[in-house]
Amino acid sequence: MLETKEAVFDALRENNDRPYGRRRTVVAEELVEAAGQFPENDLLVTALLELMEAYEFSGEHRHSPVVFARILKLWDTDRGAFSEWEAKQVLWRFKWVTTSLLQVPDVPLTAIDGWLAQMDERYRAAGQGRQPVAAMRYAVARHTGHGLAHAYDAWATRPREELSDCEACEIRQRALFHAGTGDDARALKTWRPVLEGTAGCTEEPCTSQAKALLPLLRLGRTDEARSHHLAGYRAARGRTATADEIGRHLEFCALTHNEARGLEILAENRELFTVTGAPLNRLHFLTGTEVLLRRLAAQGHAGAATAGPAGRTWTVGDLLDHVHAEADALAAAFDARNGSTWVGDRRRERLAREPLLAEPLPLGLRATALPLAPAPAPAPQAPVPDDFATLLAQARAMDAQGHPGAKRLWRRVADIVTAPGHVHDPALGPAERLSAELAEQRGFAAFHAERHDDARAAMTEAAELFARAGMPWHTVVARARAACRPATASGGEPDWAALATALHEAGELLAAGVPGVEHDNTPQEHYLAVLVCHLSAAHTALLAELPDVTPATRERFESAAATVLAEAGRLGVAHTPAVAHQYLADVAAYTGRFDEAEARLRSAVQVAETAGRPWRAANARGLLGQVLLQQDRPQEAADELRQALSTAARHDDTDFPVARTHILLGHACAHSGDVAGAVRHLSEAAARLDREDEPESAAETRLQLADVLSRADQWADAVAVLESLLTDDAAASLPAPLAAQIRLDLARGLTELEEYRASAEEFLRLADIVAGWEDGTTHTLVAAEGAVALARAGSWDAARTAYERAVTAHGAAANPGPVLSMMCQFAALTMNAQGPDGLDTALAHLAEADRIRLAVPAGEEGFAAWYHEGATHYSRGRALAVAERFAEALAEMERAVTAYEAGGPQAESARAEAVRVAALIEGNGLGAVPAATARLTAAIARCEAAGLPEAVAILTSLREDLASRQE
């Protein structure tokens, strides 16, 4: 019951902790009514200011001026009811009223000018500067288009005042002015402090991240645009006050060919269709929605389902018509109020924009595919001949060279041959030959998909047809190909007898001088193809035995490789050695002989290019990149992997593992410090795996992408990627361990973003999932981290329950590291929350940590006893210092230093931190500045020797600070 002022004040404080939205606004309205029952106006002033804030930050701008009018009346009649802070708010919120009135087309410009005049008058009376008034006049000019440049100069050239907007918001307005004049580069330079996170406020960087997307895309800075979309949308999502920003993110999706992502954003923000309190923001939202819907309709998706206003189902086409009509009417209303076409012109400019990229920008997110979505445009390719005879001749000629582009031509041949009514032309050769060639292509495709039984069957069929067509070379090669791969019927072994027979027959054909046929390989190349089949089988058999390869298997492989190299040299076939070098390199890499593998692969690349068959170098370069990455040579690896991708694309190699190569390239970029490149390539890999219907591999790639982002401190981006993997349908399709790892990384990412309540929810959900796992140590870890997240969120009762759950889980499945870390963090959080009053509780946590640590057997694998001993002493020292028991605190910190010394070089950073706190306790708490500076001097020298420049800088700064105080 709100019958006392204290009860209303308590309710106001409680409501202030709620997120902005309808619930907070309704309660604020009720509290104004409750505050009005008391004769004094002080509580009513507070309640009205809270209500105005709720309207402002939930997008209900229509109502804000009415509330402010009541506040002004109280200000003029009962100034004593206002605290000092509330008095300043009266002047500050004149700006809110101006922007709110601009939001509503029903309010005439004369009324807005009247408010500005009153604002100017009251600022003068209060002795305030004119810059905030000039800023509001510029806001009117920016909205109407009248006198824009003059109003900008009148504002931007004035110095900031006490009541000026925050620096971040003013930066945004200056940047938007430059972007509006077409100077995107200057706009983004102006925006830098906000976009890089050095200037911010409650609205920033969220607003700027949305509005900078278009300038970034226009300048081709797609990596930054991707990042600001991921982080910016996540901050704007689900907030009614960010309708404009959501519209910009929808537009971004349309302009980067991410229409499916746009539909998901629309579905997540469906409530915005019901929010009408800020018509101008609504217009911007509807326009961004229309940009997206127009793109979808143009792609043939007018009939696709989409989220729209509640109460009915919507298709893209239906919603497009609805949104267009309302937005046009709104724009016309603003232009009529403003006496210009400025608002409508800006809307028409947005609607006229075409995508700014030639291909989709990979975002790294899992997005539901559009129904009947068109496939991405293929890379430019040579035209397919219309004449069937020419087509077939070209396919055979390219196939003879091993050119990967032949596959596309053979697919077209197969379409024509299998079409109803096709009649074979004898001039093209025997019908059996063409049937055999198509069977051979099916065999190649099955081999690539590792469907070995299907491949053997297709190659056997091809051999029989080639034999009927009178083509002995093709017959023996097809038999060799059928025999070289493991078959289920033979227990996974190649058919060695069939291979031996094929080798013998090939030798006889070569000796007899049997020729090939038109558009074909030479007899020497056919003979070597059979030898390569034998080498391929030997390679497969060797890999199956790793790591313990029998001497016979190794000798068979090495002999087969030597034979291919020798016979290729004897017969003068320049390109075949590349294959042998690649097989030899593969085995060398598997067995850790990376120098040999590198040399072989470089030979394979050189042979392929010198022989005039550069397409054969793509796979060799891809493997070379992998070998260089394993040797910790990431920049060289990246160069080779890029060339591999370029070569494969240039020669239409559809079998090349593009997605896997992008993954490797992403890791190479990450290891060489190119975070943007790593994100770009991992995102591209994930998008390709989505299209290839490999959801598990795509999820694993996105997990790696999130790891790269988090290591670069791009936590919001990482969390956005991880959240996209945990939608209900996505998570259910993933293996449980993978889904658990994703959820664990997400929970930790939310912690880094200080979203502790959401983090705790993820930890607790994960704890329930892993509780029944055989590996109980995972449950211990998750429960411990969840307990800390709950404590950080201020949910202490739930935190203590989770704490006990972690201790119990540790008792069942020992995992001391996370439990000890939890106890130390609980000690610190207790002191933060309770100050000196929490010392006994904090020390009890640390005593329990000592008990668990000492119970761990000496030499326990994976347990760094020195670290946990040091961390416990460090935590106890910090707690004692907060309680001002400085002598005991210093002793504990010195024990921490001693414990860390047992950790060797890897413990130097932790030791330096303990020394830093010890010096603070000694110098500030005990007043022993000379001893503290001496301690720091020794530690600085030690850190210099250990190569820790950051620690040196921190300790040096502290020493200088203590020395200056002493002086």
Side-chain angles (χ1 to χ4, degrees):
M1 297 295 290
L2 302 176
E3 296 180 351
T4 66
K5 293 180 70 172
E6 290 73 16
V8 176
F9 269 122
D10 288 344
L12 283 167
R13 280 192 291 269
E14 181 182 351
N15 198 41
N16 191 54
D17 291 335
R18 289 191 175 95
Y20 294 110
R22 190 60 192 152
R23 173 62 178 156
R24 175 167 174 166
T25 301
V26 168
V27 173
E29 290 170 339
E30 294 170 351
L31 292 176
V32 167
E33 293 300 317
Q37 67 182 298
F38 304 107
E40 302 86 0
N41 288 323
D42 56 340
L43 186 55
L44 179 60
V45 167
T46 303
L48 286 168
L49 287 169
E50 288 294 317
L51 176 58
M52 189 178 181
E53 181 177 332
Y55 285 144
E56 176 73 15
F57 291 106
S58 63
E60 294 292 334
H61 292 276
R62 285 183 182 273
H63 307 304
S64 188
V66 177
V67 178
F68 189 64
R70 290 184 65 184
I71 293 171
L72 273 184
K73 185 175 180 180
L74 288 168
W75 172 254
D76 291 334
T77 59
D78 189 6
R79 194 159 299 188
F82 291 75
S83 68
E84 182 179 349
W85 178 85
E86 290 168 340
K88 283 287 177 63
Q89 286 299 302
V90 173
L91 294 174
W92 180 271
R93 295 191 186 190
F94 265 100
K95 298 182 292 182
W96 289 12
V97 172
T98 303
T99 55
S100 293
L101 293 174
L102 286 174
Q103 283 277 345
V104 184
D106 305 340
V107 178
L109 283 182
T110 53
I112 298 173
D113 289 338
W115 272 104
L116 283 172
Q118 186 177 169
M119 175 183 178
D120 193 7
E121 179 183 340
R122 290 183 181 264
Y123 270 52
R124 288 180 187 276
Q128 294 292 333
R130 306 274 72 71
Q131 195 260 14
V133 179
M136 289 301 98
R137 296 194 187 281
Y138 169 62
V140 174
R142 187 177 70 246
H143 170 65
T144 63
H146 297 311
L148 181 59
H150 174 74
Y152 175 79
D153 289 340
W155 162 62
T157 57
R158 291 176 183 265
R160 286 173 50 78
E161 303 282 354
E162 179 186 7
L163 293 178
S164 296
D165 280 345
C166 79
E167 183 182 7
C169 288
E170 291 202 339
I171 286 171
R172 178 183 74 242
Q173 296 303 343
R174 290 197 296 272
L176 286 171
F177 175 79
H178 297 313
T181 64
D183 195 345
D184 289 334
R186 186 176 180 185
L188 291 169
K189 183 178 180 180
T190 302
W191 244 321
R192 186 178 300 159
V194 174
L195 296 180
E196 292 183 354
T198 58
C201 65
T202 56
E203 297 179 16
E204 293 294 352
C206 171
T207 301
S208 289
Q209 285 174 320
K211 296 192 175 183
L213 291 172
L214 182 60
L216 286 166
L217 289 177
R218 286 193 295 225
L219 291 182
R221 291 163 61 172
T222 53
D223 292 331
E224 294 167 78
R226 176 197 298 110
S227 177
H228 290 309
H229 167 66
L230 293 179
Y233 170 68
R234 197 175 169 277
R237 179 181 61 197
R239 293 168 51 196
T240 55
T242 57
D244 182 355
E245 288 78 6
I246 298 298
R248 308 289 169 173
H249 286 287
L250 291 169
E251 181 180 27
F252 167 84
C253 292
L255 298 180
T256 59
H257 302 285
N258 281 288
E259 294 84 1
R261 163 74 168 163
L263 285 180
E264 290 185 347
I265 290 175
L266 204 56
E268 289 178 337
N269 296 275
R270 187 175 188 175
E271 182 185 356
L272 290 179
F273 285 108
T274 67
V275 178
T276 59
L280 184 58
N281 283 349
R282 182 174 179 82
L283 172 61
H284 294 322
F285 165 68
L286 294 175
T287 300
T289 301
E290 187 173 349
V291 172
L292 172 69
L293 296 174
R294 284 190 174 205
R295 282 290 306 153
L296 288 163
Q299 293 176 336
H301 295 301
T306 185
R312 58 165 287 188
T313 58
W314 294 90
T315 65
V316 165
D318 293 338
L319 185 60
L320 176 58
D321 292 341
H322 175 84
V323 164
H324 176 77
E326 182 182 350
D328 263 3
L330 271 175
F334 279 112
D335 284 343
R337 189 269 300 272
N338 299 337
S340 71
T341 61
W342 185 260
V343 172
D345 289 345
R346 303 291 81 72
R347 168 172 155 75
R348 285 182 284 275
E349 284 178 12
R350 292 178 70 182
L351 294 178
R353 288 193 186 106
E354 293 294 324
L356 298 173
L357 305 177
E359 297 182 358
L361 174 65
L363 300 178
L365 303 174
R366 179 192 176 275
T368 304
L370 285 167
L372 305 176
Q381 299 165 339
V384 175
D386 293 327
D387 177 68
F388 184 68
T390 304
L391 169 67
L392 184 58
Q394 188 174 329
R396 286 169 171 168
M398 292 179 72
D399 202 37
Q401 291 186 308
H403 195 295
K407 294 181 179 66
R408 183 165 57 95
L409 302 183
W410 280 118
R411 286 195 294 271
R412 179 59 182 150
V413 169
D415 290 342
I416 294 172
V417 170
T418 57
H422 175 76
V423 178
H424 181 71
D425 183 357
L428 302 177
E432 291 85 356
R433 175 185 179 180
L434 182 53
S435 297
E437 288 167 327
L438 294 176
E440 191 175 47
Q441 292 301 316
R442 293 196 300 274
F444 288 142
F447 275 139
H448 182 70
E450 297 187 354
R451 293 182 286 106
H452 296 306
D453 288 349
D454 293 343
R456 289 170 71 103
M459 287 298 178
T460 300
E461 178 187 352
E464 294 170 354
L465 289 165
F466 279 131
R468 294 213 299 267
M471 301 172 66
W473 274 118
H474 286 74
T475 302
V476 71
V477 171
R479 286 175 182 162
R481 286 171 175 156
C484 74
R485 286 291 185 270
T488 304
S490 62
E493 277 284 312
D495 190 337
W496 297 111
L499 278 169
T501 300
L503 280 171
H504 176 72
E505 291 177 357
E508 289 185 334
L509 290 172
L510 185 66
V514 175
V517 295
E518 187 181 7
H519 303 305
D520 194 18
N521 289 313
T522 64
Q524 291 81 6
E525 289 174 309
H526 282 306
Y527 170 68
L528 286 168
V530 176
L531 290 179
V532 167
C533 286
H534 188 262
L535 172 58
S536 175
H539 173 262
T540 300
L542 187 148
L543 294 187
E545 291 186 7
L546 286 174
D548 301 317
V549 181
T550 62
T553 298
R554 185 178 300 279
E555 195 282 329
R556 179 165 54 195
F557 170 73
E558 292 175 351
S559 174
T563 300
V564 170
L565 291 170
E567 289 294 89
R570 180 178 72 84
L571 298 172
V573 179
H575 60 83
T576 300
V579 181
H581 285 307
Q582 194 163 319
Y583 276 125
L584 287 163
D586 192 52
V587 170
Y590 267 115
T591 53
R593 294 175 284 124
F594 296 121
D595 289 343
E596 179 185 341
E598 179 186 350
R600 289 285 186 185
L601 289 167
R602 293 194 185 280
S603 295
V605 170
Q606 183 179 7
V607 167
E609 293 179 343
T610 303
R613 299 195 177 185
W615 50 86
R616 291 186 177 273
N619 278 300
R621 286 192 183 279
L623 290 172
L624 177 56
Q626 189 172 357
V627 167
L628 291 168
L629 193 55
Q630 288 173 310
Q631 296 181 83
D632 197 23
R633 294 157 64 184
Q635 189 57 61
E636 295 173 75
D639 292 341
E640 292 296 337
L641 293 165
R642 288 192 183 95
Q643 289 192 62
L645 286 167
S646 175
T647 300
R650 187 165 61 251
H651 297 291
D652 194 19
D653 189 349
T654 56
D655 286 343
F656 184 79
V658 175
R660 179 173 175 273
T661 304
H662 276 293
I663 293 172
L664 291 171
L665 188 48
H667 288 299
C669 289
H671 286 295
S672 61
D674 179 10
V675 174
V679 171
R680 191 181 315 125
H681 289 292
L682 290 171
S683 298
E684 176 65 31
R688 287 180 175 273
L689 291 166
D690 283 341
R691 295 197 293 270
E692 293 167 12
D693 194 25
E694 296 189 33
E696 185 175 341
S697 296
E700 290 171 346
T701 302
R702 290 189 169 97
L703 186 61
Q704 296 167 30
L705 169 60
D707 182 63
V708 168
L709 289 166
S710 62
R711 289 176 186 274
D713 285 333
Q714 295 177 233
W715 287 101
D717 297 24
V719 165
V721 171
L722 294 167
E723 285 176 335
S724 76
L725 293 173
L726 290 176
T727 58
D728 291 342
D729 60 325
S733 66
L734 297 176
L738 177 58
Q741 185 63 57
I742 292 168
R743 200 172 293 281
L744 177 61
D745 287 2
L746 173 58
R748 288 171 170 170
L750 291 167
T751 296
E752 292 292 336
L753 294 177
E754 299 184 4
E755 297 179 25
Y756 299 126
R757 190 170 300 281
S759 171
E761 289 173 359
E762 290 296 339
F763 275 124
L764 295 179
R765 188 177 294 116
L766 181 56
D768 290 339
I769 292 171
V770 304
W773 286 13
E774 184 176 347
D775 174 19
T777 59
T778 302
H779 181 211
T780 305
L781 179 148
V782 172
E785 294 196 33
V788 174
L790 285 165
R792 284 175 168 161
S795 301
W796 281 98
D797 290 341
R800 283 186 280 270
T801 299
Y803 182 105
E804 293 304 325
R805 180 178 185 176
V807 173
T808 301
H810 169 69
N815 191 359
V819 174
L820 293 173
S821 177
M822 173 189 72
M823 291 172 173
C824 288
Q825 291 184 75
F826 257 68
L829 291 167
T830 298
M831 297 304 295
N832 290 343
Q834 301 179 28
D837 292 341
L839 180 62
D840 289 344
T841 302
L843 293 179
H845 288 306
L846 296 171
E848 191 170 9
D850 282 334
R851 179 184 61 78
I852 289 178
R853 176 177 57 81
L854 293 171
V856 178
E860 178 80 1
E861 184 178 356
F863 182 74
W866 60 267
Y867 170 79
H868 292 291
E869 180 181 358
T872 306
H873 286 302
Y874 175 87
S875 298
R876 189 178 286 112
R878 293 291 297 258
L880 289 165
V882 171
E884 299 186 1
R885 289 164 56 173
F886 297 119
E888 296 169 79
L890 180 59
E892 282 297 323
M893 208 56 69
E894 288 176 335
R895 292 185 187 102
V897 170
T898 302
Y900 286 137
E901 286 174 349
Q906 63 183 321
E908 286 298 325
S909 292
R911 182 188 184 279
E913 165 60 12
V915 170
R916 182 187 73 84
V917 179
L920 283 169
I921 294 169
E922 195 167 31
N924 294 337
L926 296 174
V929 175
T933 54
R935 183 190 297 275
L936 289 168
T937 298
I940 289 166
R942 182 165 178 148
C943 289
E944 287 174 338
L948 299 173
E950 185 175 352
V952 169
I954 292 171
L955 296 178
T956 300
S957 176
L958 176 58
R959 182 179 63 181
E960 292 172 355
D961 183 54
L962 288 173
S964 66
R965 290 189 214 174
Q966 185 178 27
E967 292 172 2

